Amino acid sequence: MRRIALVFLVAVFAPSLGLGFLALRTAGEQRGILERQAAELYQNDTDALAAAIRAAVLERQRAFAARVRERLSTTPPAQLAPDFARALGDPAGAAFVVTPAGDVPAPADPDQEDAALRRETREFVRNRAPAELFPVPQTKTVPKPALGGTRADATAAAPAAAGAERKVQPQRNAPAEPASRLVSQIADFRTATAGDRDGVLARYTRNELELILWTRPPEAEGYLFGLALPAAAVADLVRAAFAAAAPGAPDACLAVLDETARPVAQSVPGFTAEWKRPFVASEIGETLPHWETALYLRDPERLARSAELITLTIILLIALALAAILAGGSFVALDARRQLVLARQKTDFVSNVSHELKTPLTSIRLFAEMLERDSAADPAKRANHLRIIRLESERLTRLINNVLDFARLEKGRRPLHPVALDLNPVVARTWEAQCIHLQAAGFSCTWSGDPPPYPARAVADAVEQILVNLLSNAEKYSGDRREITLRTTRAGAEWLVAVEDRGIGVPPGEELRIFHAFHRAHDSLASGVPGSGLGLTLADRLARDQGGRITFTRRADGGSIFTLHLPAAA
Ligand code: ADP
């Protein structure tokens, strides 16, 4: 029994607990998993938007270069240079030209309100002031010698610190990229544009972003034409690119943030958030340094709710699976226990039955030998010997009948067909036959009851067998008071045939189990009473097959009452 419990613990209970624990841990990580998945998905959106904006800036540069070449097809460069801004007709930015001699005839000193800015741009393109630049595309990270050669030291390009802090802190970037990917360099205009035909430079002047689009057309060797776009023009350009890309993600707002992390364009009008803390964000790169495309969840709690639902479902499934495993395991363990008990009872049964067979056989042989030896003995003695031989063979028959009947019942029930009959002659026949034997053994036998007839529905042989078993038990488990009473009474729609004794009684707690096959409340060894544990089982089954039953009652002043209930005939 202990082994079954141990096996159950090791093979079922412990692994189930382990599995349950692992599954619960997985369930607990659902929110993280969901957020990671959403982040990966949304990161694609911000990356795509950043790429679209980069492409729009490059496209703007290409359009500018095409326009310059178109002008040069009709006007020679020396003639175009002084009047370039007007000829270009692009009011968004300040157009300028650098001649082969290094002069900057355009822009002419303007008197507009952004004069200071234009002056600074002019100083820069005249190569008088180096600045921190973000060249696009990134081709100038390796310093190159300055073309002019006069101020080589001052104009040599030097990379500035890369990997600076980002202005925007995304909550969940996949993969996490906390530091900026921007690479800038300190260089003057000539160095930054050296060696290329076309380009875009981004730089911050007075904390404002400025984009410089430039080209060296083949039609005008030595000339450099440029267009400086101030922050407002850049914002317009970005807004147009944003509208063309028409980005949209379900349940989210996409936005382009400037260097102060303020939205320049956003997909959901009127949406506000803590702009510096988007769900995911991508840097646009050197094209628009410190600008980012960002995505905000419109309902951040929704993710938590879905995760909760998944977690709950998983927990429920785990609980169900565990309950099923434990229930199944317990059932198997209980069944194994039952089988073990049954196996033990069957072993007991074999030894009990052998014992019961041997006892009457020994007496039969003993008395037969005595008869043989003194054949001329006194007739009373002979009659007694013969009677004992008969009684012992009857006991043998009863035992064998019980075992055979039980075996038959176990294989498949033999249906009984109760018929209407008078119970009185059936009971009387059995009672008288048993009483002779009981009285000889020193029992007082009393039969009291209602006056006959006892019309009932029953099978005579089965009733006889039940009574023989009950009376035999009353005899076997008798104590010093050898009194057996048979009581036949009518109770409602039933006839009751009660066998009452003054014997040793049924131990408390055994009242129901004594009806189980092979179960013996009084062990053969301890009580010295032989038995198979089948008498009551058979009696009960036979009673049930006739629509009746057997009940046990404890007698107040010692002894037992076993009552056969049978349906009365109409
Ligand atoms: P057995 O062959 O052991 O008598 P039974 O099925 O007839 O088998 O009885 C089952 C158990 O019920 C007995 O072992 C005994 O302990 C108890 N029992 C049956 N009848 C009586 C009785 N009249 N008085 C006390 N105990 C009884």
Side-chain angles (χ1 to χ4, degrees), residues 444-565:
S444 75
C445 295
T446 322
W447 179 7
S448 70
D450 295 354
Y454 310 144
R457 291 197 64 82
V459 177
D461 284 350
V463 174
E464 263 182 57
Q465 200 180 344
I466 293 169
L467 283 182
V468 167
N469 281 357
L470 295 184
L471 286 168
S472 153
N473 278 353
E475 180 196 356
K476 281 198 306 191
Y477 303 103
S478 63
D480 300 332
R481 291 161 69 188
R482 305 199 141 204
E483 301 165 23
I484 295 179
T485 307
L486 186 73
R487 212 179 291 281
T488 38
T489 45
R490 170 100 187 214
E494 285 183 328
W495 281 106
L496 311 184
V497 184
V499 175
E500 308 178 355
D501 64 43
R502 286 287 175 199
I504 55 175
V506 173
E510 294 281 338
E511 295 82 355
L512 289 177
R513 269 187 280 178
I514 51 174
F515 291 95
H516 294 173
F518 308 120
H519 185 82
R520 302 203 67 217
H522 300 93
D523 186 60
S524 307
L525 280 179
S527 67
V529 184
S532 59
L534 287 180
L536 281 182
T537 314
L538 260 179
D540 187 51
R541 288 202 188 169
L542 287 173
R544 285 179 191 279
D545 285 354
Q546 296 172 83
R549 70 209 146 99
I550 302 215
T551 53
F552 161 76
T553 328
R554 198 180 297 285
R555 289 183 91 174
D557 37 0
S560 320
I561 307 175
F562 284 89
T563 310
L564 164 65
H565 300 241

Side-chain angles (χ1 to χ4, degrees), residues 269-317:
F271 176 85
T272 55
E274 197 192 331
W275 296 108
K276 276 196 170 145
R277 297 284 293 154
F279 186 61
V280 289
S282 305
E283 283 192 297
I284 295 174
E286 280 78 5
T287 316
L288 297 174
H290 303 308
W291 285 40
E292 302 216 12
T293 54
L295 183 139
Y296 304 83
L297 295 181
R298 294 173 74 177
D299 181 4
E301 283 313 303
R302 223 185 67 145
L303 241 118
R305 280 199 301 275
S306 321
E308 245 166 51
L309 197 75
I310 295 177
T311 308
L312 216 71
T313 313
I314 292 179
I315 290 178
L316 215 78
L317 286 178

Side-chain angles (χ1 to χ4, degrees), residues 319-364:
L320 272 178
L322 279 185
I325 291 174
L326 288 182
S330 315
F331 181 75
V332 170
L334 278 181
D335 197 52
R337 214 188 88 148
R338 229 184 17 242
Q339 297 294 339
L340 220 71
V341 170
L342 208 65
R344 197 156 53 219
Q345 283 178 341
K346 280 185 180 166
T347 321
D348 288 353
F349 163 75
V350 171
S351 68
N352 286 342
V353 168
S354 323
H355 183 70
E356 266 216 90
L357 286 174
K358 239 159 80 188
T359 322
L361 275 177
T362 314
S363 337
I364 289 170

